[in-house]
Amino acid sequence: MARAKRGLAAVIGLGVLSMGTIGCGSGGAGDEATLKVVGSADVDHLDTASGYATVGGALTRQFSRTLFNVRAGSGFEEAIALHPDVAVELPATGAGLSPDLRTYTIRLRGGVLWNTPTPREVLAGDFVRGIKRLCNPASPSGAMAYYTSTIEGLESFCTGFAAVDAHSAAAIAAYQNGHQVTGLAAKDDKTLVIKLMQPANDFLNILALPFAAAAPREYDAYVPDSPEFRRHTISDGPYQITSYVPNKQYVLERNRAWRPGSDPLRAQNVEEIRITLGQDSPETVQQQIERGTADLSWDQPVPRSKISSLRSNPNFKIMGGSTNTPYLVFNTLSPNNDRALADRGVRRAILYAIDKAVLIRLYGGPDVGQALDQVIPPGSVGHEEYDLYPTPGGSGDASMCRRMLAAAGHPGGLSLNFPYRINSHQPQVAQSIQANLKACGITTQLFPDTTGNLYGKTLVTPAEARKGAWDIAAPGWVPDWYGNNGRATIVPLFDGRHYGPNSTDYGGYNNDRVNALIDQALKATTAREAAGFWARADRLIMEDAAIVPLMNKKHPILHSARVHNALYLPTSQSYDFNQVRLSTS
């Protein structure tokens, strides 16, 4: 197929091609100018309103922009600091933030352009549209609670939006554009005003999340995150998707409407970014990077057998972080086994069964992972050290599990459905947990699933949970931001008031006492004050045995020898693709 059209013309050109035809293109840049990224699975959602997979953030950063964001860096602290993106400055009291800490007046920089056929400026109304789209009925955001619990009038707007026909782009656009949110206003083209219900000391972090990216008016023509939408993404970042074959490949080329002077956080160094999917073996991806036929891994880890030998390799690093990944989540809504998983006595029994020590060895040993016994990991606001379910050496206690199961009324054990991701170490994780549970009388049926489908459908469809399509699963959680991030674990995973389609409270956990502590934490005016409430919520959640925390995992990462200027993004656990430079030798 002829080379895909670039930049502005790509938006029109893709609109008249079938999905199969789009896939014929592989970009026009030569290998020497193409950053080659290789991995396993597609994203859960490509639409920034609903995308929640870790790798999705690395992708959408290339073609979408928010008011504030982080700058990729060589160190952790450097890469978590907040900076203005499309906004001119960070609001502060007396300079964009009202004395009562409830009204933000945000000025937008000029020269930020959509790569539409005739390039036009990104305006304040595009950010209003982006936030309104979070609660669209077709593909609502799993992070919606960050916004409905802060922005004045958004919750009632979203309640009405939920009743709109989810299959009609026209109906979705009509409601979105015909109903206002009292706390959202474009004062003029370059001034956005946001009013909060109460002060939120982490609100700038919330606005920096990809969910709150600007959305062009052209998106109103498509059902959010539909196949049609995915063929028509528009860019205000340094790159634009010019070819997409679901589950197989993305090609991004330089956005010719992008201006470096309008973007303080990104670059446009390589001519093309090619992301090739379908590589389900970490060893295969590793071999490609070592040979130079690939430059970066998309979603596959460095194999544990390679970590020791790579320590002296300048292209290898183990990056720090603060994660709860993987963890075991219970479907408390499942009808299976006479609704056994709704009983915290059963869940507590299972906590005693799991051998965390073997899982840490599976990922590469103590340099890569440390056992985690709480919800909030070290390095995040609200973390406190304790262990309510200790076992010798963290290796599990099958006899304790059996006794507790019998006491809970299940002396004959249980039979659980367990979907697992087929990439990374996840098959081995599932097999290890299966063996642990078998030792205490629990049978598990393993079902392979792709990362995109697990996070985009299996775990986030309430009807599937309620019919018992799954009972346990082992997702991972990287906090949505670092620094002042107490909200970034407890709210999305455990505030049951927001359970629904695309919720990351996968198992439908809901506890009024936890919810009350969340509300108290959100009313706190400082991170230090909030930390005590988050810690108390953490302990209540663990008393309920809502999940089995497994480990706080660091991120081993390797790049090819021709990659230079590799700058890290902790929340995406990847290098920032737009910053990479490639050597020709």
Side-chain angles (χ1 to χ4, degrees):
M1 183 178 176
R3 179 176 178 176
K5 293 183 179 180
R6 289 192 184 211
L8 314 182
V11 178
I12 298 177
L14 291 180
V16 298
L17 296 174
S18 70
M19 185 66 79
T21 306
I22 293 172
C24 294
S26 59
D31 279 355
E32 71 281 355
T34 298
L35 177 67
K36 292 171 287 188
V37 185
V38 178
S40 174
D42 209 338
V43 299
D44 55 345
H45 305 282
L46 186 57
D47 194 330
T48 55
S50 50
Y52 222 148
T54 302
V55 293
L59 173 62
T60 57
R61 180 180 173 88
Q62 313 310 313
F63 67 87
S64 68
R65 294 180 61 182
T66 49
L67 293 162
F68 313 101
N69 215 311
V70 296
R71 178 183 290 120
S74 55
F76 181 78
E77 294 298 330
E78 174 188 5
I80 66 172
L82 209 58
H83 301 275
D85 188 347
V86 179
V88 172
E89 60 192 356
L90 296 174
T93 306
L97 177 59
S98 63
D100 66 359
L101 309 181
R102 290 182 52 211
T103 301
Y104 289 77
T105 302
I106 303 167
R107 295 185 298 118
L108 275 57
R109 68 178 75 242
V112 181
L113 304 176
W114 294 116
N115 70 333
T116 43
T118 299
R120 67 172 189 272
E121 292 263 338
V122 173
L123 305 178
D126 296 323
F127 283 98
V128 173
R129 179 182 295 104
I131 293 174
K132 283 183 171 182
R133 293 179 76 252
L134 292 172
C135 53
N136 74 80
S139 185
S141 176
M144 195 192 311
Y146 289 147
Y147 303 88
T148 55
S149 64
T150 53
I151 299 174
E152 181 183 286
L154 185 59
E155 186 169 16
S156 61
F157 171 87
C158 290
T159 299
F161 211 169
V164 172
D165 182 357
H167 304 288
S168 170
I172 291 171
Y175 180 90
Q176 171 191 288
N177 300 325
H179 293 76
Q180 303 308 308
V181 176
T182 57
L184 278 176
K187 182 179 180 181
D188 55 48
D189 284 349
K190 290 295 182 181
T191 309
L192 177 68
V193 178
I194 304 178
K195 295 181 180 180
L196 307 187
M197 294 181 287
Q198 61 189 26
N201 58 73
D202 55 0
F203 188 62
L204 296 186
N205 298 95
I206 292 171
L207 290 180
L209 297 174
F211 314 108
R217 60 177 180 259
E218 286 81 1
Y219 284 2
D220 290 356
Y222 312 106
V223 172
D225 202 47
S226 63
E228 293 75 21
F229 172 92
R230 292 188 179 208
R231 291 198 295 265
H232 294 84
T233 55
I234 295 174
S235 177
D236 58 350
Y239 291 88
Q240 167 64 33
I241 298 173
T242 55
S243 175
Y244 171 47
V245 184
N247 301 307
K248 292 185 178 179
Q249 188 180 77
Y250 291 92
V251 176
L252 295 85
E253 298 184 26
R254 286 174 175 163
N255 171 12
R256 301 303 179 183
W258 180 83
R259 301 290 180 264
S262 72
D263 194 337
L265 304 179
R266 299 167 188 80
Q268 198 182 58
N269 289 331
V270 298
E271 186 172 336
E272 181 179 277
I273 302 167
R274 186 183 304 154
I275 302 169
T276 302
L277 308 174
Q279 301 291 326
D280 294 331
S281 165
E283 288 75 18
T284 298
V285 172
Q286 175 77 13
Q287 290 165 9
Q288 292 181 51
I289 294 174
E290 290 178 352
R291 290 196 304 261
T293 56
D295 296 306
L296 298 174
S297 170
W298 169 248
D299 60 356
Q300 292 286 23
V302 175
R304 69 181 183 278
S305 61
K306 291 283 188 177
I307 290 175
S308 179
S309 63
L310 285 170
R311 290 188 182 280
S312 60
N313 188 326
N315 303 325
F316 172 75
K317 290 184 178 180
I318 298 178
M319 306 301 291
S322 174
T323 72
N324 193 334
T325 186
Y327 67 94
L328 192 68
V329 63
F330 300 105
N331 178 6
T332 65
L333 306 176
S334 173
N336 300 334
N337 305 285
D338 295 324
R339 299 201 69 234
L341 293 181
D343 181 352
R344 74 174 182 176
V346 171
R347 300 193 301 267
R348 285 175 169 176
I350 292 174
L351 264 93
Y352 279 103
I354 307 303
D355 187 340
K356 299 179 184 181
V358 87
L359 295 177
I360 290 171
R361 291 195 294 273
L362 176 66
Y363 275 87
D367 288 345
V368 175
Q370 63 182 99
L372 187 63
D373 303 305
Q374 314 83 32
V375 169
I376 302 174
S380 288
V381 172
H383 171 77
E384 289 185 359
E385 291 285 338
Y386 66 91
D387 184 3
L388 299 182
Y389 310 95
T391 64
S395 297
D397 188 335
S399 61
M400 174 68 82
C401 174
R402 287 194 298 271
R403 290 196 300 272
M404 294 186 69
L405 271 183
H410 300 275
L414 307 169
S415 179
L416 304 177
N417 295 325
F418 186 177
Y420 68 92
R421 291 171 281 164
I422 58 176
N423 72 310
S424 182
H425 300 303
Q426 298 308 312
Q428 292 80 21
V429 169
Q431 291 162 10
S432 179
I433 292 173
Q434 181 184 48
N436 295 159
L437 296 180
K438 182 179 180 180
C440 72
I442 298 174
T443 301
T444 53
Q445 300 295 323
L446 298 182
F447 302 98
D449 206 350
T450 66
T451 298
N453 195 67
L454 186 83
Y455 288 129
K457 182 179 179 181
T458 305
L459 298 186
V460 297
T461 305
E464 294 294 294
R466 291 191 173 101
K467 74 179 184 182
W470 68 278
D471 293 300
I472 58 173
W477 186 255
V478 177
D480 289 323
W481 68 90
Y482 289 107
N484 181 16
N485 71 343
R487 188 194 305 246
T489 293
I490 298 292
V491 170
L493 297 188
F494 303 106
D495 190 336
R497 294 168 293 185
H498 305 290
Y499 180 73
N502 284 347
S503 170
T504 50
D505 176 12
Y506 302 121
Y509 173 78
N510 191 28
N511 181 317
D512 290 341
R513 295 172 63 200
V514 170
N515 298 341
L517 286 168
I518 289 172
D519 292 341
Q520 289 178 279
L522 296 182
K523 290 177 182 177
T525 57
T526 66
R528 183 174 182 179
E529 180 186 356
F533 294 114
W534 296 127
R536 287 167 60 190
D538 185 310
R539 185 173 284 267
L540 273 178
I541 292 164
M542 288 309 302
E543 287 176 359
D544 265 353
I547 66 168
V548 184
L550 298 175
M551 72 176 72
N552 173 27
K553 187 175 73 67
K554 297 180 181 178
H555 190 66
I557 188 168
L558 177 73
H559 62 72
S560 72
R562 71 182 193 134
V563 166
H564 305 279
N565 201 47
L567 299 177
Y568 192 63
L569 293 166
T571 52
S572 297
Q573 295 191 327
S574 73
Y575 290 121
D576 197 358
F577 303 152
N578 62 74
Q579 296 286 349
V580 168
R581 297 190 181 96
L582 300 173
S583 61
T584 55
S585 57

